[in-house]
Amino acid sequence: MKVHQPGQYGRHVRPSVDDWSWGRTTRRVAVLVRLARPYRLRVVGGVSALLAATAATLAPPILVKIAIDRGIRDSDLELVAWVVAAFLVAGAVGWAAGLAQTYLTSWVGERVLADLRETVFRHLGRLSLGYFERNRTGAVISRLTNDIEALDQLVTEGLTSLVQNTLVLVGSAAILLVLDWRLALATLAVFPLMTVATAIFRRRSTRAYRRVRERLAAVTASLQEDIAGMRVVQAFAREDRSGERFRDVNDRYRAANYETVVLNGLYFPFVDFLASTATAVVLGFGGYLVFDGSLTIGVLFAFIGYLANFFDPVQQLSQLYNTFLAAVAALDKIIDVLEEEPEIDDRAEAAALPRVEGRVRFEHVRFGYGDGPEVLHELDLDVPAGTTVALVGHTGAGKSTIAKLLARFYDPREGRITIDGHDLRDVTQESLRRQLGIVPQEGFLFSGTIRDNIAFGRPDASREDVVAAATAVGAHEFVTRLPGGYEHEVGERGGRLSLGQRQLVAFARALLADPRLLVLDEATSSVDIATERRIEGALRRLLAKRTAFVIAHRLSTIRQADLIVVLEHGRIVEQGTHEELLARGGRYLALYGDWATAVA
Amino acid sequence: MASVSSAEPSRLRTLGRLIGFLRPYRLSLIASIVLAVGSQAAGMAIPWLTGVVIDEAIPDEDAGRLILLVALVAGLGTAKAALMVGRRFIAGRQSLGVEFDIRGALYGRLLRLSYRFFDRHQTGQLMSRATVDLQNVRFFLGYGLIFLTQHVLTVVGVTALLFVIDWLLALIALAITPVLVAVAWRYSHVSHPVLRDVQQRLADMTTVAEESIVGINVVKAFAQERRQEARFRERTEAIFHQSLRATRQQALYMPLLSFLPLLAQAAVLLVGARLVIDGRLTLGSFVAFNVYLLMLVFPLRMLGMWIGQIQRAAASGERIFEILDEPEEIRERPGAQPLQPGRGRVVFEDVTFGYDPERPVLRGIDLEIEAGKVVALIGHTGSGKTTLTALVPRFYDPQAGRVLVDGTDVRELALASLRRAIGVVSQDPFLFSTTVAENIAFGVAGATDAEIEQAARLAQAHEFVAALPEGYETVIGERGITLSGGQRQRIAIARALVLDPRILVLDDATASVDATTESRIRLALREVMRGRTTLIIAHRLSTISLADEIVVLDHGRVAARGTAAELRDTSPLYREIEDHGLVAVGLAPEEFEVSA
């Protein structure tokens, strides 16, 4: 049961990627460093290989320069042969270093991402249910999928590309200056222009790409929804209007994309223009310097060679910037998750809950979600061990909340809840939940086999135990008819089974776990009559010999309950057996009237 | 479904058909190729001029000539950049246009495909065609063809220039090119399946993540956090190992691709130097040759990549054409007439139908439903109740026999007019993530607020809608508020009522509503069914009680029909249902007032 009030609080504003304050930055770096630390040897190896590879790429132009100036001019073929040998050696070093660097850095990158994924998942497992009710499911899943993939680009390629391109840039500039500082300064005069152009491009393209991403997301969302709902579109003869709507979304995406075409279409040719200009400068000024003999042809050649080295990295770096921003944004979201403290945590002195009889007491319990309004007011309830309690009342009366408090998915604001006298807050969550079974309304299953699902709470159960549980709830019959029987794959969220079948498997799962306490959110979904009967029989088996809280919708369940608790607006208004409550002629009688007409 | 054969001729045909998408952009395609050729030519002239500077201007110390040549270089550079701007603008617009067109065509086709198609294909599959496959095709048609042309031209042009400078040196330099192209192609070829596999493992991981988070209450309730962690870790490690395979390939091929051109450069250096020393080659030509050689490296590498890219585009194109070529199963006949006014009489004449024609679900159904009557369909799961109702709005066509609405075969009618006359409320209604008002007004373009509210009141939805944060303007679904099953059902009923349909199809529409609400909806339904023909697929007595007549279906045939009283005597199946309903009530309920 999802009500919307839990979503109303606890939303904090996420810091923007532009926040480069000391605290933020160190936190970002700290996370990455902590993740990479176990693999520091490989990191060192990767970085050394990277340096070697970069040095090797910088070598060829200067080698050609030597061949021209010393070999060719002096007609020294032996020297040329040596230069060629050095050339090949540089190539081989580049090859080997490139191989090592690619392998090592990607290895570390992928490893770090895998570790991060597992860390985030483990942390999510520790967070309380409140966190998952406050945050949209899709957003939480994104932390494990999209956000980590955004980091992937940065970690496996981006960082190396960043370092390598920067080194090539700086290295080329340094070599140019050493070769001839006058020509170098003249050539690099275009650099400020490029810096300005790049800064403008970067800022505007960040915005443009963000818009593209947003609008692509809109296209995807609308496709997703319309395909899923295509039957409805057709049933209501809405094809034309849906088509128009989609054309609109599609067109908006195209328009946003065109902005990036314009930006790229101006920036990249401009960089190319600057490169040509630089070549012209080298030829003109360089040629002039060669006239007076203060520059050699070889240096001229080397300049032309390094200029290519110089402009490529700038283009690559500006493209990298968007990847970088996306990765930082993703990292921030992941850090937020990792810094989220579980609201419900075991106390340091928490003990394991011994095997309980199952007497449950709610003592003066007050509760509300987060900072929201109170939804349970001063609730007192005493349930003897082995009792089946039916919670009845309208939507929003507090039935599900009581069940969640019993499972300690939340702690009460005031008062306490005890089982056999143990305050829930004094025992470990695991020991509590091992004795507690919950059957949710929709009979949620996990992908895997029927057997895996039934044995979910007791993975070590034998096949006989699984079959016995299935037989007891009346699921055995349909399971054996499935291809593969107990080894039948139920599909994503059990999608290959019908609702009724899922419900029976969920019952078997709860029965096999053999909990001392059971919480059952009874389904009202429609199943055919044969299945309905089977479910009723299964329920009876399930409720026997344990304390059970049933959020009841079926009259048959309610009538059989030992204790019926009628809730209204977070208060218990009546409690007693079916007969007692009917005799009293209060709220229960009115509710019962509704049920009776519902089935009559 | 068409089998995915990878025969080359079919690939080529697919590519040909893909190129057909460029037809509207003929002019812009030609323009961008002309511009690309122009900028390439300008780019290629620069090294030539460099050679001239070194060979003529510098040895002669001819400043005037030098200035002229440098001005020429600057001018060519400017021209090259200007042509590039034009090429990028035009090609970019065209590429986006093609993407827009194909996506639109896909969507348009999906709108017209029948229920049977959507029964066969999962949303996820169709999505991946509209996104991943489209991306591949777009890349090929948008940039691929232009870059390919540009690169081929560069390779051809530069090769020609190299031969002009010195044929021997050119032969030596080009000896390496087949190897380079082959290695690049090979890399693209072997890496693709591995990368696709990485994607697959990512999807597997996402499944576990999704399940664990959607089902977090189950995980926690059974204290199985650690087990889910182990499952998740298994999937994560699978991604790691597969990524590592991709990494190994990358480490093996990429540095090799950088190394191979160096071999050519080294050979050119060795032989070229000798030629220069022997005076058979000028120094300027030697320098120009070297610069040209550098210009060749990138396009050659890309050529290999493009071959892989084209293969991928062809495969994706095939998957896209599978949808575009899917026949429209349910389509209007030419000259189909709109539905004439009538009261909603529905007749099934000897109707046989199966989702799989070999296994009929309905076998020779003959059934007449009088206008304005409420008919409950009952029977076990799989007896054909839902299928029967789906034939009325023509979601499927029967294999044999016909379905008539007010005397006309539904296949003779204009689809929209037929479907607008029928309100459908399915068992698990699908709502769109937009406002409540828009959801209710879904079937009627100009529905007024008053009409929307009226429908909501009839469906017993007004009260809870008014209590939502923004009333009828509250956004629901993925991007908004989550509604309960009962609330969604009532909105779906309102959505059907806005149509003011002459025929209503309700698939146990009150299933997941609590008893109090259900009794209210039932009263409302009694009201709205008045004057309409209604087919209710019923699972419980309360729903059956609304009907004038009950039809019992069994294994695709009409087993019995009549009033409750009649069926009690004649139909064992009906008795079973009725007994069951009464068991649930227990004591006779006369002592209670109907309070709702």
Side-chain angles (χ1 to χ4, degrees), chain B residues 121-298:
Chain B
H121 294 89
Q122 289 171 345
T123 307
Q125 283 177 12
L126 297 175
M127 279 302 292
S128 96
R129 290 181 200 206
T131 52
V132 180
D133 288 329
L134 184 63
Q135 208 52 251
N136 286 339
V137 167
R138 170 218 166 172
F139 217 73
F140 167 66
L141 288 180
Y143 301 104
L145 280 181
I146 293 164
F147 279 129
L148 191 64
T149 323
Q150 199 171 331
H151 289 152
V152 168
L153 284 174
T154 307
V155 170
V156 171
V158 169
T159 306
L161 286 169
L162 291 182
F163 273 99
V164 169
I165 295 174
D166 192 280
W167 67 269
L168 179 65
L169 213 48
L171 276 183
I172 292 170
L174 295 177
I176 202 77
T177 54
V179 183
L180 190 64
V181 174
V183 171
W185 172 80
R186 176 90 198 135
Y187 174 54
S188 162
H189 190 72
V190 296
S191 68
H192 184 57
V194 175
L195 292 174
R196 205 173 38 197
D197 211 45
V198 171
Q199 289 302 318
Q200 185 51 47
R201 309 263 160 119
L202 277 168
D204 291 348
M205 179 276 303
T206 307
T207 306
V208 175
E210 242 166 39
E211 272 184 350
S212 309
I213 287 161
V214 176
I216 188 77
N217 52 349
V218 180
V219 174
K220 284 188 171 289
F222 285 88
Q224 291 299 320
E225 289 95 332
R226 256 175 273 162
R227 180 174 162 199
Q228 286 305 103
E229 263 168 41
R231 279 186 78 182
F232 185 76
R233 188 174 317 118
E234 205 179 286
R235 306 293 169 107
T236 310
E237 292 305 311
I239 297 175
F240 173 66
H241 286 112
Q242 195 61 17
S243 301
L244 220 52
R245 274 185 67 194
T247 294
R248 252 178 248 132
Q249 286 179 342
Q250 199 190 355
L252 218 54
Y253 282 95
M254 292 309 272
L256 180 61
L257 283 172
S258 308
F259 175 69
L260 285 174
L262 288 180
L263 286 179
Q265 268 181 284
V268 166
L269 199 57
L270 197 62
V271 179
R274 176 162 206 129
L275 290 176
V276 175
I277 291 168
D278 293 355
R280 282 191 282 156
L281 188 72
T282 64
L283 190 56
S285 299
F286 176 70
V287 170
F289 196 97
N290 269 296
V291 177
Y292 280 129
L293 203 55
L294 289 177
M295 281 177 71
L296 210 51
V297 172
F298 182 70

Side-chain angles (χ1 to χ4, degrees), chain A residues 265-538:
Chain A
L266 290 174
Y267 173 71
F268 289 104
F270 183 69
V271 173
D272 196 79
F273 165 73
L274 289 181
S276 302
T277 310
T279 308
V281 170
V282 168
L283 282 181
F285 187 47
Y288 169 75
L289 289 175
V290 176
F291 283 177
D292 66 15
S294 62
L295 194 78
T296 65
I297 302 279
V299 173
L300 210 59
F301 177 83
F303 259 82
I304 294 171
Y306 284 115
L307 278 182
N309 271 349
F310 196 72
F311 286 94
D312 276 354
V314 174
Q315 299 199 12
Q316 303 238 2
L317 284 175
S318 54
Q319 277 179 327
L320 204 63
Y321 186 71
N322 286 317
T323 315
F324 177 73
L325 282 187
V328 170
L331 183 63
D332 282 348
K333 288 189 224 166
I334 291 170
I335 290 176
D336 280 353
V337 171
L338 291 177
E339 287 179 352
E340 181 87 25
E341 295 286 337
E343 291 147 68
I344 310 287
D345 219 350
D346 287 342
R347 285 190 182 163
E349 68 275 19
L353 180 67
R355 186 176 164 81
V356 295
E357 286 304 311
R359 179 176 184 195
V360 176
R361 289 193 62 178
F362 281 66
E363 296 170 24
H364 312 297
V365 168
R366 288 176 178 276
F367 177 74
Y369 292 94
D371 312 322
E374 196 169 277
V375 293
L376 291 182
H377 319 284
E378 197 66 30
L379 196 90
D380 279 297
L381 185 62
D382 189 350
V383 179
T387 310
T388 295
V389 186
L391 301 172
V392 300
H394 287 293
T395 305
K399 299 175 304 228
S400 303
T401 307
I402 290 182
K404 284 176 191 164
L405 288 176
L406 181 62
R408 207 180 163 220
F409 288 148
Y410 297 94
D411 279 336
R413 280 185 189 165
E414 274 175 48
R416 59 180 208 140
I417 300 162
T418 62
I419 298 178
D420 288 4
H422 300 280
D423 189 323
L424 295 187
R425 285 168 298 198
D426 294 335
V427 299
T428 62
Q429 292 176 74
E430 185 171 350
S431 68
L432 165 66
R433 297 202 186 119
R434 285 222 177 267
Q435 300 193 50
L436 181 96
I438 295 190
V439 184
Q441 197 181 59
E442 65 279 25
F444 187 92
L445 300 187
F446 296 88
S447 59
T449 64
I450 300 251
R451 185 186 171 171
D452 291 342
N453 268 292
I454 295 179
F456 187 76
R458 256 182 62 196
D460 56 334
S462 71
R463 193 185 154 83
E464 287 69 39
D465 293 341
V466 169
V467 174
T471 310
V473 299
H476 181 70
E477 194 192 325
F478 91 80
V479 173
T480 45
R481 269 189 279 120
L482 293 171
Y486 284 88
E487 303 307 320
H488 181 77
E489 292 279 340
V490 299
E492 217 170 297
R493 297 189 208 169
R496 273 183 230 143
L497 300 184
S498 75
L499 269 175
Q501 290 171 334
R502 265 181 266 166
Q503 195 74 52
L504 288 180
V505 172
F507 284 167
R509 174 172 70 191
L511 189 68
L512 183 64
D514 193 22
R516 297 305 304 142
L517 292 140
L518 185 74
V519 175
L520 186 90
D521 195 347
E522 201 178 54
T524 48
S525 47
S526 71
V527 284
D528 65 49
I529 298 135
T531 314
E532 174 104 19
R533 281 211 175 141
R534 241 180 280 150
I535 288 180
E536 263 169 39

